[in-house]
Amino acid sequence: MSTQPDLLYSEEEEALRAAVRDLLTDHCDAAGVIARTESDAPHDLALWKSLADGMGLAGLLVPEALGGQGATHREAAVVLEELGRAVAPVPYLSSAVVATEALLACGDEELLGRLASGRTVGVLAVGLHAAPDARPRTARVENGSLHGELTGVADATAADVLLVPADDGGLYAVAAGTATVTAQVSLDLTRPVATVTLDGAPGRRVGDAEPAVRRALRAGAGLLASEQLGVADRALTETVRYLKERKQFNRPVGGFQALKHRLAQLWLEVVSLRAAARAAADALATGADTDVTVAVAQAYAGPVAVRATEEAVQLHGGIGMTWEHPAHLHLKRAKADSIAYGTAGAHREALAALVDLRAP
């Protein structure tokens, strides 16, 4: 007899949340994030060092015997909620979740230990848009060297090691310095994407690409829902706060009934998103109905996060349209996340196949 998952946050998870939020409050203010997006170095590597090395968060999914924390996807989800709230420009999802999951599937202990320490940033060289069941573009292997061009790779500009799927079915670890990484124009400047060009780059085979990539993208999709929850929840919280303070006709704008209805509907959607995101994290941790639960979460998460951030921009009025206000950071992250690891439509199609409810 199966038991229902406990989707409430444990005391340990709440303590982890408080510690991460305190760090981000001190070192990841909105003005600093906006200033960084205007620079040549969008990633905050000092913040990444504090999160990964100082707090040990890069190794949450790595067993203790390999130098990690031996935690579960539930704890990683809490971290991603907070990173989403702050729109933190760090490669946590790409390195500590996606690349780490790929290496866990391959069993490469040496590289896993390096990623768990946070001193090495790993990135799976697959386009950010790829869904878990997609067949990603591969590099060509010739005499042990890799050739080809891979586009839309998130956080590649911050990577030390690239995990490259190849046409011989292998997954290869490639030093980022031996590849040409060219930044692409990104809507979300806090998670830039890039083109990776391989021209005879040496690679070391770490395992089979197909199961590793699928596992990595599934974990990425499932835990992305927690990041989207953080983005949506912060957008809603800040909008409610603003509407309580902003006055028109000598009364708070939030007191107008039409706005109350819009906020109430949004609150219901964000609460439902929290349930879906927590279920996905728990399913990844326990292995129970993982494919179905991740598909449900991603089918729901993208549209809710986009709607929450669009409402935030609109309900902040003129100030919400300015570059100096952080509303646009959340909107751009939500829009970029809505196509990351598969669109909502792609996940609905996958879900229909999983539960045998295909369209006629």
Side-chain angles (χ1 to χ4, degrees), residues 7 11 15 24 27 48 57 81 83 109 113 127 143 159 171 180 212 251 265 271 283 285 288 296 323 346:
L7 303 185
E11 289 185 14
L24 293 173
H27 300 287
W48 169 250
L57 300 183
E81 281 184 43
L83 295 177
E109 297 184 2
N143 301 321
L171 186 68
T180 302
R251 59 179 289 193
Q265 178 61 36
V271 168
V296 168
W323 179 260

Side-chain angles (χ1 to χ4, degrees), residues 98 124-137 151-154 165 213-214 216-218 220-221 224 298 336 339-343 346-347:
V98 176
L124 181 66
V126 172
L128 182 61
H129 61 281
D133 58 355
R135 293 175 64 93
R137 182 181 296 185
T151 59
V153 181
V213 170
R214 189 183 188 287
L217 295 182
R218 186 178 68 174
L224 178 68
Q298 270 309 311
I339 62 171
Y341 305 116
T343 62
H347 284 282

Side-chain angles (χ1 to χ4, degrees), residues 27 37 48 58 74 79-80 100 102 120 126 132 163 195 199 213 217 232 265 289 319 332 342:
H27 300 287
T37 64
W48 169 250
R74 290 176 60 111
V79 173
L80 279 164
T100 295
T120 295
V126 172
L163 301 178
T195 296
D199 188 11
V213 170
L217 295 182
Q265 178 61 36
D289 291 327
I319 193 174
K332 291 169 184 172

Side-chain angles (χ1 to χ4, degrees), residues 1-145:
M1 181 178 175
S2 62
T3 58
Q4 291 296 320
D6 180 6
L7 303 185
L8 298 177
Y9 298 99
S10 67
E11 289 185 14
E12 292 80 6
E13 289 165 353
E14 290 291 7
L16 175 61
R17 178 196 307 284
V20 175
R21 187 174 296 188
D22 285 347
L23 177 67
L24 293 173
T25 299
D26 292 339
H27 300 287
C28 192
D29 62 292
V33 174
I34 292 172
R36 191 168 287 282
T37 64
E38 299 173 308
S39 73
D40 294 329
H43 292 99
D44 190 341
L45 296 182
L47 176 61
W48 169 250
K49 181 175 174 60
S50 298
L51 288 165
D53 196 13
M55 297 182 70
L57 300 183
L60 283 181
L61 300 179
V62 179
E64 291 184 61
L66 302 180
Q69 304 299 317
T72 73
H73 299 81
R74 290 176 60 111
E75 288 79 17
V78 170
V79 173
L80 279 164
E81 281 184 43
E82 293 306 309
L83 295 177
R85 285 178 61 87
V87 200
V90 293
Y92 188 86
L93 184 63
S94 51
S95 184
V97 175
V98 176
T100 295
E101 285 280 345
L103 291 172
L104 285 168
C106 296
D108 190 288
E109 297 184 2
E110 185 269 335
L111 194 47
L112 266 173
R114 286 163 55 193
L115 261 63
S117 72
R119 288 186 285 274
T120 295
V121 173
V123 168
L124 181 66
V126 172
L128 182 61
H129 61 281
D133 58 355
R135 293 175 64 93
R137 182 181 296 185
T138 58
R140 189 176 74 258
V141 182
E142 287 183 9
N143 301 321
S145 299

